[in-house]
Amino acid sequence: MKKLNVLSLTAVMMLCACGDDGKNGDNGVDGLVGANGSNSLVNQTYVPVGNENCLNSGIQVDSGLDSNNDGVLSESEITSTNYLCSPALTTANGTTVENTKMNEWFVGGQQHISQALINSNELNDAVGKAKNVILFVGDGMGISTVTAARILAGQQQGGTGEEYQLSFDKFPFAGFAKTYNVDAQTPDSAGTMTAMVTGVKTDIGVLGVAESVSRGNCESVAGNELVTALELAEIAGKSTGIISTARITHATPAATYAKSADRNWEDISDMPNTAIAQGCEDIASQLINFEENLESRFAGIDIDGIEVMLGGGRRHFLPKDAAFNSIDASSAIEGDRTDARDLTAEWQATYPMGNYVVDRAGFSALDADNTERVLGLFNESHMHYEADRHNDLAGEPSLSEMTSKAIDVLDNNDEGFFLTVESGRIDHGHHAGSAYSALTDTIEFSNAIEAAVKNTNPEETLIIVTADHSHVFTIAGYPKRGNPILGKVVSVGETEPTLAKDNLPYTTLGYTNGRGFKNLGEETDADAGYAHDIITARQDLTSIDTSSPGFHQEALVPKSSETHAGEDVGVYAIGPGSHLVAGTNEQSIIFHIMNRAASLANKAEAVLN
Amino acid sequence: MNINQYLALLFCWLFMLNAKADDANSCQLEQQHVFAQYDINDVTKQGNKTLQQLNLYRLDNQVIHQYEHNNIGLWWTKTSHNRLMLNRFFDHEKRVIEYQADEITGSFDWHTKYQLINEEFLTKMKLVKSTGEACNTEQVLTYQSAETTYQLVWLPNLKLIKSLKVSQAEQIISQWSLVKYSLASDKAKEKFTQLLDYKSTDYADIGDNENDTFYRR
C-alpha cells in the first residue's frame, strides 16, 4: 500500500481593508492550534480475468482518507475506485499473447463461437416450420456412455479418441433433461418416454397414461389416457413411424402408441385375467389396432395408421402354436399369444398394400419409393446387439439401415412425418455389465443419426437426440490421453497398467453394481453373461484382454442385473426449433419443443374442427 | 432240408431280424419322450457324502434337468437351426427366465444335456460286454484315465445311463444309479406343458423390472 502525506491545514483568515493604509495595529490573539489531519490512503488490488470491470484482468485502485488513523483503508473509508484494465488479448501483441492466439484449442474455440453466432443469427423460430420431426432415443445412454462411445469410435478410426465427435456431438444446440419419474428418483423407460412424447411426467412402469393411474390396475387407465406426439402427427395428416432394436412392444416404442397400466402387458398372456376381463388391450394388439383405436377416441377423424414399424418381438404377435413359427424361431413355440390371434395376419388383412418382413432379405427387397407401409419383426424377442448381429440366423438390418429406409418410406407424404428411433440394446448391454456391447450399440446409434441428417432437409426437419435415463457406468482413474477406453488404466507418462491399493490393475470403465466380472473372450452376445455366476470380488486382470467383446467389467455391488442411474441426460438438437433445447429442464419439455416446431397440436386441432 | 424248408427258415430269420429292427426303432421313438430319475452319490475330498436326486425329462428336442431338492430347473431346447436355448424355471413361483439361443458349440453340448454323458467320451470308452436286445440292450463300458476310472452301464437304444461309477485311487467318488424310468412318458409331456403356462421373461428384461420382487432376488 502506498501513502501520500499531505499538509495538514489550519484555517487562515486574511483581513482585507479599503482606503489608505492606516497604521499598523496591535498583533491579535493567537488562534487555536489545529488538529492533525488524516492520511490519504490508496489500495491497489489485482483483479483476474473475468472481473466485471476488467474482463481481461487489471488493477483496481481504491482511495480514501484513513479517518480512524489505523493505517488501513477499510471498506467504509473508500471514497473512490478506479480500474487500470489490461488490454484485450485479441488486440494485444507480443509473444505470450501470440502463443495463446495461435494455439489450436484457442483457434478451435474462436471458430466454435463464430459458428454459434451464425447459428443464433440463423435461428428459425417460426412455429410449425418443422415439416418433419425425428426423435432419437438411446435407451440408457447417459453422459458417461456418450463420452466412452465417442472415445471408442475415435480410437476405432485410429485416433486418440477423446477429440472425436459422434454425429450428434456436432449438433448446434444441447441441454440437459431431468429424468425422474413422478414416483421414482431413478426412472424407467416407460415413464420417461411417456414424458417425452406426451409432455406429461408420469409413474414408473406405465405407458401413455397420467400419474393417477395405478400400476397393474386396468380400471385406473380410463380417464388418464394422454395424447402422444405420434398420435397428433397422425391426426395432422403426417406419416408416422416407430423403430426399435428392442421388441417393438417394449416400453420406449410402446409409449408412443399404447395406453397401458403396465409396461409388461406386451401380449395377452402377460396380462392378469382381471385386466383382460375389464377390457384392457395388450400392447401388441394396440399397435395393430392403432388406427381403429385412435379413430374411436377422436370422433370424426379418418387417419391412415402408422406407416413404418420396425423392430423385434414377434412372440407377442403370434399364437402359442408351433405351426406359426417363423423361419428363425428360437423357441420350440415362438408365439406367446394365448388368444389364438395371429396379429401379423390381421395387420396384412387390414393393410393389403402393406409389407410384412421378418428378415434382412425381405427388408432389403423393399422399394421405399413404392412402399405404402411396412411391418418388420426381425426377431422372436429383442433384435441382436450390433456386435452380435452377424449371428442372427435369417439376418437383421442395422439401425442405420432401418432409419434410412424408414425415412425413404415416410417422406413419400408431402405433409411430412414423425419418426421415433430407439436404440434399445444400449440399455441391455449395460444391464448385462458389458461396456463393449453398450458402446458398440451407441456407435451404431450415432451412425443412424448421421444417416437421418444426410437423408433429410435440415431446414424443415427437427432432429432431437436424447436418452431416457442413465446407467451406473463410470469412467474412472487417471488414464493417459489415448489410453484404450476398454483397457486398463495406464497413467500419464507410463506404459504399464497402474496398480490399485490391492496391487492389481483396474479398468477405466466400470459399474457401481451388477453381475460383475466375466471373461468370455470373443463372445459378442452380452446376455451370455447371465448364464455365469455373479462375481463382484476384485479380479487379477493382468493377463486378461479387457477390450475383448466378451469381457464384462467389474462391479461393486452384486445384483442380478446392473441398474439404471438417476442423473440428468443430454438432449441434442438440430433443425427448426432446435434452439429451444437449452439449459436443464424436465424431460417432458421435449414434447413441447417438438409440438411447437411442427405445430402438431394446432394442425391436429384444425383437422378435428 | 428241401428248398421250401430253407425258404421258410430264411423267412423266419428275416422276420426275426425285422422284428428286432422294429423293436430298436420303437425304442428310438420311445426314448424321445422320457422321464428318468437318478440317485447321485458324491464323496468330497474330505470324505463327506452327499445324495442328490436328479430328474431327467425329454420331449423330442427339449430336455429338463431338475434336482428334487431344488426349486430351480434347467430347460434346454435344441432349435431347428441347431442352436441351444436355455430357460431356467422356478416351480414355486411358476416363472421362467429365458436366455437368448446360442450356437451349440463348446460347452453347449446337446448330448450332455440329452443323455447326461458326452457322446465323444462314450466313443472313447471300451466295450466290455453287451447283453439283452432292443430296448433292454445293456452295454458295460469302461475308461481309464491317469487318475480316474469310469465304469458305465449304458442303455444304448434308450440313450440312458443305467449306472456310472467314477473312482480315484480305488475310492468311489461319484456313483449314479437309474432309480426308475418311463418311456413314451406322459409325465414328461405334462412337465413341458406345465412350463408353457409359467410367466416368462427375457433375462435382458430383468433390469427393467426392479419392482418385481421375484427378479430382485
Side-chain angles (χ1 to χ4, degrees):
Chain A
M1 183 170 65
K2 292 181 179 178
K3 286 184 179 178
L4 292 179
N5 292 316
V6 294
L7 188 64
S8 178
L9 298 174
T10 57
V12 176
M13 182 181 285
M14 294 193 63
L15 298 175
C16 181
C18 298
D20 295 334
D21 289 342
K23 294 177 180 175
N24 290 335
D26 297 331
N27 290 334
V29 179
D30 289 341
L32 295 173
V33 177
N36 289 333
S38 297
N39 288 333
S40 177
L41 301 180
V42 173
N43 256 352
Q44 295 185 52
T45 312
Y46 172 76
V47 292
V49 172
N51 180 276
E52 63 179 352
N53 296 294
C54 279
L55 287 175
N56 295 299
S57 78
I59 305 295
Q60 177 180 330
V61 182
D62 298 319
S63 59
L65 295 177
D66 184 16
S67 47
N68 59 4
N69 292 317
D70 64 353
V72 176
L73 184 64
S74 62
E75 283 287 323
S76 60
E77 294 169 333
I78 296 172
T79 55
S80 174
T81 298
N82 293 297
Y83 294 90
L84 300 171
C85 295
S86 303
L89 283 178
T90 49
T91 58
N93 292 313
T95 306
T96 305
V97 173
E98 286 301 313
N99 285 344
T100 304
K101 286 174 62 181
M102 299 306 290
N103 183 283
E104 62 176 311
W105 296 106
F106 192 89
V107 173
Q110 282 184 314
Q111 289 171 346
H112 178 83
I113 295 299
S114 300
Q115 184 59 50
L117 286 168
I118 293 169
N119 292 342
S120 61
N121 290 335
E122 293 181 349
L123 277 181
N124 191 334
D125 196 29
V127 173
K129 175 67 178 174
K131 176 180 161 187
N132 312 310
V133 176
I134 308 177
L135 174 61
F136 281 95
V137 179
D139 199 317
M141 189 187 70
I143 297 289
S144 56
T145 303
V146 174
T147 305
R150 174 193 303 145
I151 295 171
L152 180 61
Q155 292 179 342
Q156 286 175 339
Q157 294 183 27
T160 50
E162 296 84 356
E163 68 294 332
Y164 185 76
Q165 285 187 300
L166 295 169
S167 60
F168 52 98
D169 282 333
K170 299 170 190 166
F171 282 10
F173 298 99
F176 295 105
K178 298 191 285 182
T179 63
Y180 66 95
N181 295 141
V182 167
D183 59 348
Q185 197 168 57
T186 297
D188 86 328
S189 302
T192 52
M193 189 61 173
T194 297
M196 285 189 268
V197 295
T198 69
V200 178
K201 282 207 167 203
T202 190
D203 292 340
I204 194 168
V206 302
L207 296 169
V209 287
E211 61 180 297
S212 296
V213 75
S214 173
R215 183 170 184 180
N217 181 345
C218 167
E219 285 184 313
S220 68
V221 170
N224 285 307
E225 298 95 334
L226 301 167
V227 183
T228 71
L230 182 138
E231 291 168 334
L232 290 172
E234 189 69 38
I235 296 170
K238 293 182 185 294
S239 289
T240 51
I242 308 161
I243 300 174
S244 177
T245 49
R247 295 188 298 269
I248 201 72
T249 49
H250 209 237
T252 304
T256 64
Y257 61 83
K259 321 294 166 198
S260 182
D262 197 310
R263 57 176 286 168
N264 291 326
W265 293 355
E266 293 183 61
D267 71 61
I268 196 164
S269 72
D270 299 320
M271 298 174 68
N273 290 333
T274 49
I276 298 168
Q278 288 165 355
C280 277
E281 185 180 10
D282 67 78
I283 293 166
S285 181
Q286 289 191 51
L287 180 60
I288 297 303
N289 292 337
F290 175 81
E291 180 180 346
E292 182 185 339
N293 288 348
L294 191 60
E295 287 176 345
S296 69
R297 285 171 60 205
F298 296 94
I301 64 167
D302 180 18
I303 60 167
D304 60 2
I306 302 168
E307 279 79 7
V308 174
M309 298 176 281
L310 301 172
R314 278 196 307 261
R315 62 156 70 143
H316 300 301
F317 295 81
L318 298 174
K320 198 168 195 166
D321 181 342
F324 289 84
N325 282 6
S326 308
I327 52 171
D328 62 344
S330 298
S331 307
I333 300 175
E334 183 176 32
D336 282 354
R337 298 196 68 87
T338 48
D339 57 3
R341 290 175 65 195
D342 176 359
L343 299 187
T344 63
E346 290 183 19
W347 183 83
Q348 289 173 93
T350 306
Y351 303 105
M353 298 300 289
N355 295 278
Y356 173 56
V357 293
V358 297
D359 56 18
R360 186 182 174 84
F363 173 83
S364 300
L366 290 173
D367 173 11
D369 289 340
N370 295 303
T371 297
E372 180 198 296
R373 70 186 66 233
V374 55
L375 169 62
L377 299 175
F378 301 107
N379 202 299
E380 179 177 326
S381 184
H382 304 296
M383 292 176 71
H384 281 69
Y385 291 100
E386 174 60 21
D388 194 45
R389 193 160 56 84
H390 63 278
N391 273 327
D392 187 70
L393 282 168
E396 292 177 351
S398 68
L399 188 61
S400 303
E401 291 166 337
M402 290 194 288
T403 302
S404 294
K405 183 83 79 177
I407 291 170
D408 290 344
V409 171
L410 295 172
D411 66 9
N412 296 334
N413 182 348
D414 291 338
E415 295 299 315
F417 63 82
F418 178 89
L419 172 66
T420 59
V421 182
E422 185 210 21
S423 177
R425 309 227 68 194
I426 298 171
D427 179 62
H428 295 153
H430 280 320
H431 278 311
S434 166
Y436 184 94
S437 294
L439 299 184
T440 47
D441 266 58
T442 304
I443 293 169
E444 174 55 19
F445 182 56
S446 171
N447 295 339
I449 295 158
E450 188 163 13
V453 171
K454 286 179 178 170
N455 285 3
T456 53
N457 179 351
E459 292 185 358
E460 59 180 23
T461 306
L462 169 64
I463 299 178
I464 294 180
V465 178
T466 189
D468 47 359
H469 56 74
S470 178
H471 272 268
V472 292
F473 175 62
T474 59
I475 304 173
Y478 298 97
K480 62 184 178 183
R481 174 79 184 271
N483 198 51
I485 190 66
L486 291 166
K488 299 157 206 164
V489 170
V490 177
S491 296
V492 177
E494 301 292 330
T495 56
E496 294 298 318
T498 304
L499 301 183
K501 279 292 183 188
D502 55 8
N503 285 323
L504 296 173
Y506 56 101
T507 53
T508 303
L509 303 178
Y511 292 96
T512 304
N513 61 38
R515 302 185 68 82
F517 167 80
K518 310 275 176 294
N519 183 24
L520 307 181
E522 294 306 307
E523 175 61 70
T524 48
D525 177 11
D527 295 346
Y530 288 115
H532 297 259
D533 291 338
I534 295 173
I535 300 174
T536 51
R538 279 280 284 151
Q539 300 294 307
D540 185 354
L541 305 176
T542 305
S543 59
I544 291 174
D545 178 6
T546 62
S547 62
S548 65
F551 180 79
H552 292 228
Q553 280 68 20
E554 291 176 288
L556 177 64
V557 179
K559 285 190 69 74
S560 57
S561 179
E562 182 265 5
T563 72
H564 298 176
E567 76 267 19
D568 301 346
V569 296
V571 187
Y572 314 81
I574 189 171
S578 59
H579 62 286
L580 298 174
V581 175
T584 302
N585 298 289
E586 298 294 353
Q587 199 164 32
S588 44
I589 76 150
I590 289 171
F591 165 85
H592 299 281
I593 293 167
M594 297 188 297
N595 182 41
R596 186 178 188 278
S599 203
L600 295 173
N602 289 342
K603 289 180 178 173
E605 276 186 18
V607 170
L608 288 167
N609 296 323
Chain B
M1 183 184 291
N2 62 33
I3 186 70
N4 286 335
Q5 286 174 317
Y6 177 80
L7 286 174
L9 192 63
L10 180 64
F11 178 78
C12 285
W13 185 71
L14 287 171
F15 179 81
M16 285 171 64
L17 271 182
N18 194 42
K20 282 185 179 177
D22 282 350
D23 283 349
N25 287 338
S26 166
C27 293
Q28 288 294 327
L29 287 174
E30 289 180 346
Q31 57 86 13
Q32 292 174 21
H33 296 187
V34 161
F35 166 70
Q37 192 170 69
Y38 291 90
D39 278 347
I40 303 172
N41 287 281
D42 288 326
V43 182
T44 65
K45 285 182 179 175
Q46 292 74 33
N48 299 324
K49 294 179 181 175
T50 60
L51 170 64
Q52 297 183 91
Q53 208 160 49
L54 172 66
N55 292 335
L56 169 72
Y57 301 86
R58 294 201 301 233
L59 187 69
D60 300 322
N61 58 346
Q62 300 176 83
V63 171
I64 288 172
H65 296 174
Q66 186 172 30
Y67 287 93
E68 275 287 308
H69 68 280
N70 201 337
N71 178 39
I72 305 172
L74 301 175
W75 170 19
W76 286 280
T77 302
K78 187 170 78 161
T79 72
S80 55
H81 304 284
N82 206 34
R83 295 196 169 199
L84 194 65
M85 183 171 182
L86 169 64
N87 295 336
R88 281 197 165 92
F89 62 89
F90 302 78
D91 277 335
H92 293 165
E93 295 84 0
K94 300 192 185 312
R95 305 287 281 260
V96 172
I97 295 178
E98 299 176 0
Y99 297 79
Q100 191 161 317
D102 210 331
E103 290 170 279
I104 304 178
T105 55
S107 60
F108 293 133
D109 173 7
W110 174 243
H111 291 110
T112 307
K113 318 299 182 206
Y114 192 80
Q115 61 194 27
L116 302 174
I117 192 161
N118 181 280
E119 187 71 14
E120 192 181 344
F121 183 71
L122 264 181
T123 60
K124 283 183 181 173
M125 298 186 88
K126 180 183 172 188
L127 179 63
V128 177
K129 68 173 180 179
S130 181
T131 58
E133 291 180 344
C135 294
N136 295 321
T137 305
E138 284 188 19
Q139 295 176 337
V140 177
L141 300 145
T142 61
Y143 181 79
Q144 178 76 53
S145 71
E147 296 179 344
T148 309
T149 303
Y150 300 85
Q151 288 181 291
L152 172 70
V153 179
W154 177 240
L155 308 178
N157 290 325
L158 302 184
K159 295 191 181 304
L160 286 174
I161 292 172
K162 185 175 183 186
S163 67
L164 173 67
K165 279 184 194 170
V166 184
S167 310
Q168 285 181 345
E170 297 186 353
Q171 295 289 317
I172 295 174
I173 59 168
S174 184
Q175 186 164 0
W176 291 49
S177 307
L178 180 61
V179 179
K180 58 183 176 183
Y181 71 92
S182 57
L183 303 176
S185 169
D186 288 338
K187 195 177 173 83
K189 288 179 188 170
E190 284 167 14
K191 185 68 182 179
F192 285 99
T193 304
Q194 175 193 345
L195 293 182
L196 289 175
D197 290 332
Y198 286 7
K199 180 179 169 57
S200 66
T201 308
D202 271 18
Y203 217 120
D205 292 321
I206 288 178
D208 289 325
N209 284 284
E210 278 281 314
N211 64 311
D212 189 321
T213 52
F214 171 72
Y215 298 128
R216 238 180 267 162
R217 282 183 275 127

